[in-house]
Amino acid sequence: MRVIKVSLVVIVLLCFFTKAIAEFDRTDKKTTEVLVFIMPDSLELAPGLERGASVQQSDIKSQQLRATLTAINVNSIARAFPDWIAADSIVYSERGERVRRPEFHRVFTLSFDSEQDADEAIRKLSDLPAVVYAEKNTGAICVLDNDPQYLDGTQWHLKNDGRHGGIVGADIRAEQAWDIFTGSSNITIAIIDDGVEVNNIEFLGKASGDQQLGNSSHGTRVAGVAAALANNAIHGRGLDWNARIRSYRVQDNGIYNGDAAAAAKVMDAVNQGCQILNNSWSIPGYSTTLGQAFAYAYKMDRVSIATMGNSGNMQTRYPGGFSNVIAVGSTTNRDVLSEFSTTGSHIDVVAPGGVDTNRTDPANVFTTTIGNTTRFSAGTSFAAPLVSGLASLLKGYNNNLSNDDIRQIIRLSADKVPAMNGVNFSNQYGFGRINAGRALALVRDNQLRHWTTTGGTVVSSTGLHTVTFVSASGLAPGPYNVRRYEVRKTVAFPEQFQQIVGVWGRGVGTTGWSVANHNYGEGFCEVVSSTSSEVTLRTYVYEMWSISGQYIGYRPTTPANVTFAYTVLGNNCNINFTGQTVTNNTAVTSCGTLNANNVTVTPTGTLNIRATERVNIGSGFTVQPGGSLIIQVP
């Protein structure tokens, strides 16, 4: 089978915190800045004033907006994304789908004297018809989540031999993964962090992008966990040592540059070909500005990965809290949850992240740092790049994997560690500790099928209510009155499987949206139930009216025209196709031997049999006049 490999960039943004400093401390000027999405024809800034203007200098067409801005004592108004090109509103994903870019040219930064003034401004601006949303431009002092040494067992997260109080096998089974695939230089992992020492000896010839500043080393350490070189007789190695690295800096000298700056870097990474976004940082509050950027990444079929955070309690932090992001917690060398690891129902998986902030503790994660040296590090920041490295291995091994495929395979292949007490999912461990070897084996040993089906039945609906849509195709940003319809369809698999490993929906390729509010117009498809031969799928469509009552119609389509995209991963080797009557086009595929007995192909039927090894046509096999039988064996 011919496999085409393309660039995969993993964005690793993991703000690693110790338990004592597990959140951004809102002490810098960003806490007095407000990001406001303002509707067109309400406010504009003249050329030359994009980076700062007074209320008096601004062209404010809405009298209500002008009165409010005057009353709340705005110091200055600037475009949050001054270099954003509004004309480039539609782009195409690698799969050929039209994707609407966020309208960041309509986002403005308002500056105030105090945080109290900024909070009051958010309350007042949020009530205005000209304002889609108003929120803090989260500012923080961000303390980032934190080959000989591989061979001697120092990198226990890759292969744990039980030393330093660890438990044998409490690792990610890296060697089993490398037995299958060791990565590709066509894959690029983007590290969105505090910069990377791009000329580090462990990244020679493979790193580019934003350089770290001063003594900042977090991004370099994160990059080392994901993709440090191997077999160079130096230090340790990354999980996907053949992947390339591209650095995007969202923190300068310990100061987080704000949500607008981070959103711009996420957009840059996607637009420059990055396909996996790994975020080793987190903020405690929801950000619509960041939400748009990660929704864009999802629509463009990228994989976003982020830390759960290091608060040591149950909490939702972002970007890990966004539904389109793989959220990663941390475990120790004994396969139990790290004390600092944040928990919550949005967690996907855990990976080794160490025990504490002691730089010399061998129970922490050993990795590359600045100055061509090494150190031990701990935190969910160093668990997340292991998931990014696994995602890049999977994408490099099979470029046809979608972002949802990669997420589900990582979940399905995770080990249920003893502390999970036999459950499939918990708020502490998610679906388990990642197992890189099993993840690659699932792809190698099974058949992965991408299918779509059109049309569905409405099974429920809501009353009239208001939802805000931002960056949704075919809609101007803003609130709408809607009725939401749940649309389902049950479909038989086009092929038969001997064993089903997993079935899941794919948002990319689905023309239905989720129930989220704010809603970014991301494709959404989930499995309601499935058997060995069929699946019931669900998505949602909206019947819409403007706030003034004008009827708009259905978005993104009508229930009858919904397209569901879904994936089946299973094993159909050595199939017995027996006792079947074929009345239409039917395909039966086996990765081994296919035995066909007591089969009738009617005049309207076509049976296409494909087998890797051989096809045995047994007794009772009949092809009636007009029927067709096609047999394909290599």
Side-chain angles (χ1 to χ4, degrees):
M1 178 179 67
R2 186 168 62 97
V3 177
I4 301 173
K5 299 176 181 177
V6 297
S7 172
L8 168 67
V9 177
V10 180
I11 303 175
V12 185
L13 277 149
L14 301 166
C15 276
F16 179 85
F17 305 102
T18 67
K19 191 170 182 179
I21 45 176
E23 299 181 359
F24 288 130
D25 299 319
R26 297 172 179 269
T27 56
D28 75 303
K29 69 176 184 177
K30 292 294 187 298
T31 62
T32 62
E33 292 182 354
V34 175
L35 297 177
V36 186
F37 191 116
I38 299 177
M39 298 289 285
D41 301 324
S42 296
L43 183 149
E44 298 296 341
L45 298 178
L49 297 177
E50 295 93 342
R51 299 180 187 274
S54 65
V55 173
Q56 292 73 25
Q57 291 173 313
S58 304
D59 182 9
I60 306 174
K61 297 179 173 60
S62 166
Q63 293 303 312
Q64 190 177 14
L65 178 62
R66 176 182 290 278
T68 301
L69 291 175
T70 301
I72 60 179
N73 299 317
V74 179
N75 285 338
S76 67
I77 304 172
R79 291 195 181 275
F81 302 83
D83 300 319
W84 196 258
I85 301 175
D88 298 334
S89 60
I90 299 295
V91 296
Y92 289 86
S93 72
E94 294 174 1
R95 298 181 186 273
E97 293 189 327
R98 286 167 53 93
V99 175
R100 183 174 181 172
R101 294 177 59 190
E103 297 185 40
F104 280 152
H105 62 289
R106 298 307 313 164
V107 180
F108 296 83
T109 302
L110 276 57
S111 300
F112 298 88
D113 286 330
S114 69
E115 187 170 358
Q116 182 178 358
D117 288 344
D119 291 338
E120 180 65 19
I122 290 174
R123 286 190 290 271
K124 291 183 177 180
L125 289 166
S126 297
D127 292 333
L128 299 181
V131 173
V132 177
Y133 67 83
E135 62 188 15
K136 279 288 183 64
N137 185 21
T138 306
I141 299 174
C142 174
V143 183
L144 293 170
D145 297 328
N146 282 325
D147 286 303
Q149 282 73 32
Y150 172 70
L151 295 175
D152 70 10
T154 302
Q155 290 188 296
W156 61 265
H157 55 285
L158 301 175
K159 184 179 180 180
N160 192 337
D161 62 6
R163 70 185 67 191
H164 306 305
I167 293 177
V168 175
D171 56 55
I172 66 169
R173 306 297 193 275
E175 288 190 351
Q176 289 87 337
W178 297 331
D179 286 342
I180 299 171
F181 187 63
T182 57
S184 167
S185 61
N186 291 326
I187 305 303
T188 305
I189 300 175
I191 308 294
I192 303 181
D193 211 279
D194 66 354
V196 172
E197 187 178 57
V198 296
N199 61 347
N200 190 288
I201 194 170
E202 287 283 34
F203 306 141
L204 287 182
K206 62 184 290 178
S208 61
D210 296 340
Q211 177 72 23
Q212 51 80 225
L213 303 176
N215 293 323
S216 300
S217 67
H218 185 268
T220 302
R221 288 180 282 141
V222 167
V225 173
L229 288 168
N231 303 317
N232 59 353
I234 299 172
H235 305 152
R237 60 179 59 176
L239 179 55
D240 187 351
W241 67 72
N242 280 312
R244 304 185 71 82
I245 296 166
R246 188 174 179 91
S247 170
Y248 296 87
R249 197 172 61 245
V250 297
Q251 172 182 288
D252 294 339
N253 297 316
I255 303 296
Y256 175 59
N257 296 330
D259 297 345
K265 291 294 186 179
V266 171
M267 297 291 295
D268 287 345
V270 174
N271 292 333
Q272 292 167 10
C274 311
Q275 290 158 308
I276 294 183
L277 291 69
N278 186 331
N279 308 270
S280 287
W281 57 273
S282 64
I283 58 175
Y286 185 91
S287 166
T288 304
T289 302
L290 275 179
Q292 292 179 79
F294 282 98
Y296 176 71
Y298 179 78
K299 294 175 189 178
M300 293 294 285
D301 205 18
R302 275 35 171 191
V303 180
S304 297
I305 297 163
T307 173
M308 281 289 291
N310 303 309
S311 66
N313 55 25
M314 184 172 289
Q315 186 184 19
T316 301
R317 301 180 65 84
Y318 296 90
F322 295 128
S323 62
N324 49 31
V325 175
I326 299 174
V328 183
S330 171
T331 51
T332 72
N333 62 350
R334 297 186 62 81
D335 252 350
V336 297
L337 197 71
S338 303
E339 288 188 0
F340 50 74
S341 189
T342 300
T343 62
S345 60
H346 60 290
I347 188 173
D348 284 271
V349 289
V350 291
V355 295
D356 57 40
T357 57
N358 187 338
R359 302 187 175 200
T360 61
D361 192 332
N364 288 333
V365 176
F366 182 85
T367 184
T368 303
T369 190
I370 59 175
N372 295 325
T373 58
T374 58
R375 60 170 280 190
F376 290 97
S377 300
T380 53
S381 281
F382 305 100
L386 288 172
V387 179
S388 297
L390 174 53
S392 66
L393 284 174
L394 287 167
K395 185 71 173 179
Y397 186 69
N398 183 347
N399 179 58
N400 290 322
L401 296 177
S402 73
N403 50 13
D404 283 312
D405 294 337
I406 290 172
R407 184 179 201 171
Q408 296 299 330
I409 289 167
I410 289 173
R411 286 176 168 183
L412 284 168
S413 59
D415 284 332
K416 312 302 177 188
V417 298
M420 294 178 69
N421 296 317
V423 301
N424 184 54
F425 175 89
S426 75
N427 290 341
Q428 293 75 37
Y429 296 90
F431 289 93
R433 189 246 308 122
I434 64 168
N435 184 322
R438 183 179 296 127
L440 269 294
L442 282 182
V443 180
R444 179 196 62 189
D445 298 338
N446 295 281
Q447 292 73 55
L448 185 136
R449 299 288 186 258
H450 283 170
W451 287 314
T452 59
T453 185
T454 303
T457 301
V458 173
V459 298
S460 68
S461 63
T462 67
L464 201 64
H465 62 289
T466 301
V467 174
T468 297
F469 289 86
V470 186
S471 303
S473 295
L475 291 174
Y480 294 84
N481 291 325
V482 304
R483 282 195 179 93
R484 186 179 68 237
Y485 297 90
E486 179 185 346
V487 184
R488 295 188 184 186
K489 184 171 184 179
T490 299
V491 58
F493 300 143
E495 296 179 13
Q496 290 189 337
F497 291 84
Q498 187 176 28
Q499 179 184 16
I500 298 292
V501 176
V503 185
W504 54 86
R506 300 194 314 276
V508 176
T510 294
T511 54
W513 293 340
S514 74
V515 300
N517 186 8
H518 296 148
N519 196 305
Y520 303 115
E522 299 166 90
F524 174 82
C525 176
E526 67 178 354
V527 172
V528 177
S529 62
S530 66
T531 69
S532 61
S533 60
E534 67 179 26
V535 62
T536 299
L537 303 166
R538 168 168 54 205
T539 191
Y540 300 90
V541 300
Y542 291 80
E543 191 175 15
M544 309 185 69
W545 293 260
S546 68
I547 294 299
S548 63
Q550 182 179 1
Y551 185 68
I552 295 171
Y554 285 92
R555 294 292 188 278
T557 188
T558 63
N561 289 319
V562 163
T563 296
F564 298 89
Y566 66 102
T567 297
V568 179
L569 180 67
N571 188 315
N572 54 10
C573 297
N574 300 328
I575 287 178
N576 293 316
F577 189 65
T578 303
Q580 301 291 320
T581 300
V582 178
T583 60
N584 51 24
N585 292 330
T586 300
V588 183
T589 302
S590 168
C591 56
T593 298
L594 191 146
N595 300 306
N597 300 284
N598 298 317
V599 174
T600 299
V601 182
T602 68
T604 60
T606 298
L607 177 59
N608 190 332
I609 297 176
R610 290 170 286 180
T612 300
E613 296 180 3
R614 61 183 297 170
V615 174
N616 295 323
I617 302 296
S619 62
F621 194 104
T622 303
V623 179
Q624 296 178 349
S628 298
L629 172 63
I630 302 171
I631 298 176
Q632 301 177 58
V633 180

